[in-house]
Every structure is written in C-alpha cells, then in structure tokens.
Amino acid sequence: QVQLQESGPGLVNPSETLSLTCTVSSGSISTYYWSWIRQPPGKGLEWIGYINYSGNTNYNPSLKSRVTISLDTSKKQFSLKLSSVTAADTAVYYCARLNWNAFRKFDYWGQGTLVTVSS
Amino acid sequence: DIQMTQSPSSLSTSVGDRVTITCRASQSISSYLTWYQHKPGKAPQVLIYGASHLQTGVPSRFVGSGSGTDFTLTISSLQPEDFATYYCQQSYDIPGTFGQGTKLELK
C-alpha cells in the first residue's frame, strides 16, 4: 500500500518561502507523477503542480511564477517551494500520486498539513 | 481554465437513500473525470476515475456516468460511512480543476 506523508513548518512569515516535503513509502517513485494540491480554509481544492519521474514539471499558471517542485528519488521524496507567500496561501497542503496512465487520477494522497501564513 | 460546476453544494439525506451528484464542465473533457470522497482530517480517496471506472476496493454502490461535459455520481443506497464531502475533478487539461464539493449531511 502506497503511503504519502507531508512534512514541514506549520507557520510561515508573510513574504517568505513555504517549503514542504512529501515522503513516499512503498512502491516506486520512479515511474509515476507526483503532485501538490491545496485547500484554503472553507474553500475548494486547487491543483498546484506536478513533477514526473524524469524531473519534468508542470505548474498551475496562477502560481507558476512562485512555485518550484523537485524530486529526490534516492530519498523517495518530492518537495514544494512557494515563494513570497501571503495570507491567501494559508491552506491545507496535500501531496498526491498522479497516475498519468489511468485517466490522470490522484490515486494516493497524504493526509495533508496545515500551513498558516502569519507574522 | 476549465470550470467544474457541482450540484448540489450540500444535501441532507438519510441512510438507505439514493443520492445523485452532478458535475458539469465548461467545455468537453471527454472521460477525464474523477470523483473523490473526502472526510475531515483524512486523505481524499478516489471513488471513480475515467468517468465510470470503479476504483479498486470501492463498494459497487458508487456508480459514475457521463462524458463530454455532463457527469453524475450516484450512490445507490447511502451507508453511514458515506457521509462526507464529494469532489469531481477534470484531468483533461492543465490546470486540473475541481468542483466546489458536495457535502452529504445526515437529515
């Protein structure tokens, strides 16, 4: 059973960079796509972006200028960096596996981690 | 971006009821439609992918249908563990966009 676990600071100062890591246990990290999704309090889900096993990335155009997703296959981890954060970036952040060959479904998710942007 | 419009946004319902949730895309997405179930504090789970394919391990009371722009998730007989929020999501185009969610509440 594939499991994903997000980790990182729960509080980030405005204008700084939010950094999160997702650790994948069980299964290969080298044959799938890996994604970040977020949900602001009381709002819907927003896809942030993905990285594939070759290191190719694709980002939500609304966040593209501030987002970087990277992959470390040796540690079975992928990471999210979101720069110049504001209160609008306060959200529960989820990592998920994107199964590109099965109608691009997010078939495994982490439980999510709340990140609050505040001084 | 492709807009996904889900209805209703909430539904008061009872165990044993038949429940139908609809999702409409602002343009054709073929069958690139996934339904997720989300409970508070838990990871969202895939119910249906490719509009009508049942995810392994999901009970057969969950049925998905539709293609193009109009999609439906039907729960044939609601069980106590089904009270949750349901989201549709299109994966036809980037960015993959979600519906606003449908929350099932106990009547």
Side-chain angles (χ1 to χ4, degrees):
Chain A
Q1 178 77 351
V2 176
Q3 291 186 315
L4 289 79
Q5 180 66 58
E6 305 90 351
S7 59
L11 181 64
V12 181
N13 291 318
S15 80
E16 295 190 347
T17 296
L18 178 159
S19 296
L20 295 173
T21 297
C22 183
T23 302
V24 180
S25 59
S26 187
S28 172
I29 196 170
S30 300
T31 54
Y32 288 94
Y33 289 44
W34 303 94
S35 192
W36 288 95
I37 296 152
R38 70 180 183 178
Q39 184 172 33
K43 296 188 177 182
L45 294 160
E46 180 182 35
W47 175 78
I48 298 171
Y50 69 71
I51 188 167
N52 72 8
Y53 45 84
S54 298
N56 298 315
T57 55
N58 207 327
Y59 303 133
N60 190 324
S62 68
L63 298 168
K64 188 174 183 177
S65 63
R66 299 193 291 131
V67 172
T68 303
I69 297 176
S70 57
L71 182 68
D72 187 335
T73 55
S74 65
K75 294 182 178 179
K76 296 187 74 173
Q77 293 179 334
F78 62 105
S79 299
L80 168 70
K81 290 189 184 299
L82 181 65
S83 64
S84 304
V85 297
T86 70
D89 296 308
T90 293
V92 176
Y93 285 77
Y94 297 95
C95 58
R97 190 178 85 171
L98 175 57
N99 194 327
W100 193 262
N101 295 322
F103 289 93
R104 307 170 196 166
K105 60 180 175 179
F106 296 112
D107 56 0
Y108 291 97
W109 297 60
Q111 288 200 319
T113 186
L114 174 63
V115 179
T116 302
V117 178
S118 175
S119 55
Chain B
D1 297 3
I2 296 176
Q3 303 303 313
M4 304 300 293
T5 303
Q6 229 178 296
S7 63
S9 56
S10 65
L11 189 59
S12 293
T13 186
S14 302
V15 173
D17 283 355
R18 180 182 179 91
V19 171
T20 299
I21 301 169
T22 63
C23 184
R24 173 166 287 178
S26 60
Q27 65 185 73
S28 177
I29 57 170
S30 183
S31 294
Y32 284 85
L33 191 284
T34 305
W35 290 99
Y36 299 91
Q37 179 191 69
H38 193 196
K39 297 179 179 179
K42 300 272 186 94
Q45 294 192 322
V46 176
L47 300 173
I48 302 288
Y49 66 96
S52 61
H53 300 267
L54 189 67
Q55 176 75 1
T56 301
V58 173
S60 59
R61 63 180 179 273
F62 292 93
V63 176
S65 64
S67 67
T69 60
D70 293 308
F71 302 87
T72 299
L73 173 68
T74 300
I75 310 171
S76 59
S77 178
L78 202 66
Q79 298 301 299
E81 61 268 29
D82 299 337
F83 290 94
T85 300
Y86 294 81
Y87 294 94
C88 62
Q89 184 242 340
Q90 66 83 15
S91 52
Y92 180 81
D93 196 14
I94 299 297
T97 42
F98 293 83
Q100 75 272 31
T102 296
K103 186 174 183 179
L104 299 188
E105 298 171 313
L106 186 62
K107 186 181 291 183

